């Protein structure tokens, strides 16, 4: 019998990589290209003749139950640990994969395949063969949910999450660590069981979290205009984000001090009426503060939703992958629009000055 996956047509992602062969970190735009090879600067930066298909990935629910019209039925939580059978298929460099799980937009630590595995916000693994169905199981006790609730479960793959620039041969993530999302409703027939907090990989390094709004400016629209013009009309249907570190938009990497605090500002703007839960991640682990793990924002016309926070630098490693994930909470209110999980490009926060 043919396996039934239960993924949408949009859940097939081809990673088109542009390799910068021979470009040094100090001169990324020297215009020189060689035969495609491992990246030396930006894994996806070069001219058109070096474009390659690095890989593809698709994933979805294994053998989901269907109603009489062939629509996928919601999952059910009946107490204890929930087990979700899943399938992933990938090729090329997309075979290094990790998954993030969210329940009602809240990051969900989970176990991989067995109840004996540790709880992690992301489990990273390598698939063995190209374009082969690989089954596995998410095992977890939801950290939110009451009897009678119907919440949305989001599962997002992260492409090549094991990659991190070393500031010797690479200083950028390029197109690595992009996401692909699947989702399904989750019905609670009883309250979620309490989860032992000691089993969750907490990283309480956020402080002074503040939520606010500010007006959309002409400079902001110009900064996000590239291949297409971003104007107020575009903001009615699309969502944009940007990440400021120490007062400026940072790309690729940023050197930080060994101690003290790092100020970060996350801006989300666009589609009026959309609600998101936003989570800061460091090395693929959700960051927490005394105010919680994820922070809800509602987008309104002409305004930017702003989250300011400080990161305690003593808790950072020498090399750190930093990004923000925004999960939509009311996508069903806008059935004619494409509303998906958003992730900022990964940013390297590093401490070792001798690499520069």
């Amino acid at each position: 019998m043919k396996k039934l996956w239960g993924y949408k047509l949009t859940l097939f992602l081809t990673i088109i990589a542009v390799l910068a062969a021979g470009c040094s970190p100090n001169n990324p735009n020297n215009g020189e290209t060689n035969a495609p090879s491992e990246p030396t600067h930006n894994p996806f930066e070069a001219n058109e003749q070096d474009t390659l298909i690095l890989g593809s990935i698709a994933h979805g629910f294994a053998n989901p139950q269907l109603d009489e019209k062939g629509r996928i039925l919601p999952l059910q939580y009946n107490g204890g640990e929930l087990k979700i059978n899943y399938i992933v298929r990938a090729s090329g460099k997309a075979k290094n994969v990790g998954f993030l799980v969210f329940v009602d937009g809240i990051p969900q630590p989970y176990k991989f395949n067995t109840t004996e595995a540790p709880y992690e916000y992301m489990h990273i693994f390598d698939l063995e063969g190209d374009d082969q169905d690989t089954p596995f199981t998410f095992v977890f006790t939801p950290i939110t949910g009451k009897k009678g609730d119907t919440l949305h479960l989001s599962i997002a793959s992260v492409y090549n999450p094991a990659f991190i620039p070393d500031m010797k041969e690479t200083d950028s993530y390029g197109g690595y660590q992009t996401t692909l999302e699947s989702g399904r409703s989750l019905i609670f027939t009883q309250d979620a069981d309490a989860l032992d907090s000691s089993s969750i990989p907490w990283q309480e390094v956020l402080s002074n979290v503040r939520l606010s709004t500010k007006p959309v400016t002409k400079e902001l629209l110009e900064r996000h205009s590239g291949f297409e013009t971003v104007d107020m009309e575009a903001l009615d249907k699309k969502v944009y984000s940007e990440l400021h570190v120490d007062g400026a938009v940072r790309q690729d990497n940023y050197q930080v001090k060994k101690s003290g605090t790092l100020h970060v500002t996350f801006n989300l703007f666009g589609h009026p009426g959309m609600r998101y839960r936003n989570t800061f991640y460091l090395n693929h682990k959700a960051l927490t503060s005394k105010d919680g793990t994820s922070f809800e924002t509602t987008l309104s016309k002409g305004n930017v939703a702003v989250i300011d926070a400080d990161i305690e630098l003593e808790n950072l490693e020498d090399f750190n992958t930093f990004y923000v994930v925004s999960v939509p909470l009311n996508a069903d209110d806008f059935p004619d629009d494409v509303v998906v999980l958003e992730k900022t490009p990964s940013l390297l926060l590093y401490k070792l000055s001798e690499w520069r």
Side-chain angles (χ1 to χ4, degrees):
M1 180 180 293
K2 184 178 179 180
K3 291 182 179 178
L4 182 62
W5 277 39
Y7 59 80
K8 300 177 183 178
L9 291 177
T10 54
L11 288 180
F12 185 81
L13 175 67
T14 299
I15 308 296
I16 299 179
V18 185
L19 302 183
C23 296
S24 72
N26 295 323
N27 187 20
N29 298 312
N30 60 13
E32 297 178 3
T33 60
N34 299 312
S37 65
E38 289 301 305
T40 57
H41 171 62
N42 184 331
F44 296 85
E45 180 180 34
N47 56 29
E48 293 180 357
Q49 65 260 32
D50 292 326
T51 299
L52 295 174
I53 303 296
L54 278 194
S56 64
I57 183 170
H59 56 85
F61 300 91
N63 300 312
Q65 290 185 313
L66 306 177
D67 64 14
E68 64 277 2
K69 294 183 178 180
R71 295 173 298 195
I72 297 177
L73 291 171
L75 295 162
Q76 283 194 1
Y77 175 74
N78 301 311
E81 289 188 321
L82 177 66
K83 295 183 179 180
I84 299 176
N85 295 321
Y86 211 73
I87 295 177
V88 60
R89 175 196 301 157
S91 66
K93 291 194 175 183
K95 294 200 299 295
N96 180 257
V97 64
F99 286 91
L100 299 171
V101 178
F102 302 87
V103 177
D104 197 31
I106 300 173
Q108 172 67 62
Y110 64 93
K111 302 175 182 179
F112 184 70
N113 279 335
T114 70
T115 58
E116 290 75 27
Y119 270 111
E120 297 286 354
Y121 282 106
M122 177 189 287
H123 289 264
I124 300 174
F125 55 100
D126 289 297
L127 303 174
E128 292 184 359
D130 284 341
D131 296 318
Q132 296 181 9
D133 288 356
T134 300
F136 65 97
T137 304
F138 296 104
V139 181
F140 62 91
T141 300
I143 59 175
T144 187
K146 298 290 185 181
K147 182 179 180 179
D149 285 348
T150 299
L151 303 179
H152 188 71
L153 171 76
S154 297
I155 298 174
S157 63
V158 177
Y159 161 60
N160 201 4
F163 176 81
I164 188 168
D166 59 13
M167 296 307 295
K168 292 181 179 179
E169 297 181 350
T170 56
D171 62 2
S172 168
Y173 292 89
Y176 291 161
Q177 303 197 3
T178 54
T179 58
L180 187 65
E181 181 190 11
S182 178
R184 195 169 171 186
S185 295
L186 175 60
I187 295 175
F188 287 77
T189 63
Q190 69 174 62
D191 292 355
D193 291 347
L195 184 62
D196 182 5
S197 60
S198 65
S199 66
I200 302 176
W202 299 110
Q203 285 195 112
E204 191 169 340
V205 301
L206 288 180
S207 61
N208 300 320
V209 179
R210 302 174 300 283
L211 277 64
S212 62
T213 60
K214 64 181 182 182
V216 172
T217 64
K218 179 182 178 181
E219 291 75 18
L220 180 67
L221 296 177
E222 290 176 348
R223 191 158 61 239
H224 284 264
S225 295
F227 293 108
E228 61 180 5
T229 300
V230 177
D231 53 19
M232 295 302 294
E233 184 178 352
L235 299 189
D236 287 338
K237 293 294 183 181
K238 295 183 179 180
V239 175
Y240 301 86
S241 66
E242 62 180 20
L243 186 60
H244 294 246
V245 177
D246 276 349
V249 176
R250 309 292 180 179
Q251 296 180 343
D252 299 333
N253 60 75
Y254 183 64
Q255 183 179 353
V256 300
K257 298 178 181 179
K258 292 183 178 295
S259 61
T261 59
L262 180 73
H263 186 73
V264 297
T265 301
F266 174 66
N267 294 332
L268 190 70
F269 57 100
H271 200 308
M274 278 303 309
R275 295 188 296 115
Y276 286 86
R277 282 207 172 97
N278 309 278
T279 303
F280 294 81
Y281 282 85
L282 195 66
N283 296 327
H284 309 300
K285 297 178 181 178
L287 301 183
T288 64
S289 74
K290 61 181 181 62
D291 300 308
T293 303
S294 57
F295 308 96
E296 185 173 338
T297 55
T298 301
L299 303 186
S300 58
K301 191 174 183 63
N303 292 312
V304 180
V306 182
I307 303 176
D308 283 288
D310 294 324
I311 295 178
E312 304 297 329
L313 292 173
E314 290 87 347
N315 297 307
L316 267 64
E317 299 175 10
D318 288 338
F319 292 87
N320 306 271
T321 298
F322 180 59
Y323 55 86
V324 182
V325 176
S326 302
V327 182
L329 300 180
N330 60 336
D332 290 343
D333 293 344
F334 305 95
D336 297 329
D337 299 330
V338 178
V339 180
V340 296
L341 175 147
E342 304 277 342
K343 173 187 172 294
T344 61
S346 294
L347 174 69
L348 175 69
L349 301 178
Y350 71 100
K351 292 183 176 180
L352 297 184
S353 60
E354 58 263 34
W355 295 126
R356 299 298 283 174

